[in-house]
Amino acid sequence: MSITITMGIQKGGCGKSTTTGVLAYLLSRDGYRVLAIDMDSQGNLTELLSKKPANEFVEKSVLEAMQYRDPKKYIVQIDENLDLLPANNFLATFPRWIYTGITYTGDKIKYHGNPSLVLDETLEEVRNEYDFIVIDTPPSLSEQTTNALCASQYVVVLFECSNWCYSAIPNFMDSVDGARRHGRHNTRLLGILRTMNDVRRNDAKAFNEMIEEDYPNEVFKTIITRKAPIGRLSLYGFDQNNELEQALEQYKNFYKELMERVKGR
């Protein structure tokens, strides 16, 4: 049975897609079988891993996998150890389909069940084929996010060192608690990763310290600072990228911490 980890926070610009992609890459490079799932209609994780526009996956995405309960048909192989369930902008129609049964193509596919467990039920067919499943989520407390949380054993909260992200943390923690109560995997917090840190800003330093004071046992020691090679991962990806090791340098420490926490539970 795979270990499923969701990356989340309802604020945008916190590095969720990049962190999810890096984690998937590092796990696969270590020989683990990994399925990366894009639950964000922006499709940034999809484009990062596939190096193709998200719109190339119209009618070939995680949305159809959930509607037809057939994930294998829509999984895209990235490399020997890494697969992807891609997303595109039509994933934004997911809530409408759940509650009305009408797809974005106008077809009628009724869903009967718990609206928070669609993804979880869909993944039952493939969980035993992977060591890890990592899920990227949208910047909102939406049905997509709820489904990702309820499908996961663990959650990593992304904390961009700012006031708005700081104020978003309590509501997201409530969502994690809700997934633990209503899901089937005892969803729990694996840790809080501080990202997008700007070493030039005193307020960023202050928010880093505040979140550590509030959640001393949850924050990872690693703090991801803004670096150009990380920002350019969206351009160059993980193959034939001369800056790759520079981009991964900070994330390797986070990866080590994360794996220690997973193995210790």
Side-chain angles (χ1 to χ4, degrees):
M1 180 69 72
S2 58
I3 295 169
T4 306
I5 304 173
T6 281
M7 305 289 177
I9 189 67
Q10 71 271 31
K11 183 185 178 299
C14 297
K16 290 186 293 295
S17 299
T18 298
T19 303
T20 307
V22 169
L23 177 59
Y25 175 79
L26 290 174
L27 285 165
S28 66
R29 194 166 75 169
D30 272 358
Y32 295 105
R33 287 280 297 141
V34 182
L35 174 63
I37 301 176
D38 196 344
M39 285 295 284
D40 184 357
S41 61
Q42 295 178 95
N44 293 156
L45 178 67
T46 295
E47 296 186 348
L48 175 62
L49 294 180
S50 72
K51 303 308 297 178
K52 296 179 181 178
N55 284 343
E56 288 197 13
F57 297 97
V58 172
E59 299 188 24
K60 298 178 287 185
S61 74
V62 65
L63 178 59
E64 288 77 20
M66 291 188 289
Q67 289 172 339
Y68 293 101
R69 302 296 184 89
D70 185 8
K72 291 184 178 181
K73 182 178 178 180
Y74 301 97
I75 288 173
V76 177
Q77 184 175 15
I78 302 300
D79 61 32
E80 183 180 0
N81 291 323
L82 178 57
D83 290 342
L84 169 69
L85 258 178
N88 57 67
N89 62 316
F90 286 112
L91 183 56
T93 67
F94 177 60
R96 185 186 71 177
W97 166 67
I98 291 176
Y99 301 120
T100 69
I102 300 174
T103 72
Y104 67 91
T105 61
D107 295 333
K108 291 187 177 181
I109 306 173
K110 285 287 186 181
Y111 173 70
H112 302 283
N114 187 329
S116 298
L117 300 180
V118 186
L119 178 63
D120 186 31
E121 294 167 354
T122 301
L123 293 178
E124 286 303 310
E125 188 177 341
V126 296
R127 285 191 188 274
N128 290 330
E129 298 182 16
Y130 297 96
D131 300 306
F132 286 88
I133 298 174
V134 294
I135 308 176
D136 187 24
T137 55
S140 62
L141 297 176
S142 61
E143 284 82 357
Q144 292 92 312
T145 298
T146 301
N147 268 264
L149 293 175
C150 287
S152 302
Q153 292 104 325
Y154 298 116
V155 180
V156 173
V157 177
L158 281 294
F159 177 72
E160 183 252 340
C161 311
S162 71
N163 183 48
W164 285 344
C165 196
Y166 182 76
S167 65
I169 291 285
N171 286 339
F172 193 81
M173 294 298 194
D174 287 345
S175 295
V176 176
D177 288 340
R180 180 166 56 251
R181 293 193 306 271
H182 302 296
R184 305 185 295 182
H185 301 285
N186 190 30
T187 306
R188 51 212 181 274
L189 180 68
L190 190 59
I192 299 171
L193 177 64
R194 291 168 285 183
T195 64
M196 311 294 287
N197 183 50
D198 189 335
V199 296
R200 301 167 298 179
R201 291 175 51 182
N202 289 332
D203 61 320
K205 181 176 183 293
F207 281 113
N208 278 333
E209 293 171 351
M210 288 167 62
I211 201 71
E212 186 170 9
E213 290 174 3
D214 291 348
Y215 302 95
N217 298 319
E218 288 81 13
V219 294
F220 292 100
K221 294 179 182 178
T222 303
I223 300 176
I224 307 298
T225 60
R226 293 178 183 269
K227 298 286 186 181
I230 296 174
R232 287 193 286 265
L233 274 173
S234 62
L235 289 174
Y236 304 134
F238 297 99
D239 294 325
Q240 299 179 342
N241 181 348
N242 294 331
E243 300 178 327
L244 182 59
E245 291 308 313
Q246 293 173 268
L248 297 179
E249 183 179 2
Q250 297 180 76
Y251 283 102
K252 288 178 183 177
N253 295 326
F254 159 64
Y255 175 64
K256 181 180 179 181
E257 286 190 78
L258 180 142
M259 294 302 286
E260 288 173 352
R261 293 190 185 193
V262 168
K263 292 175 181 178
R265 301 195 177 190

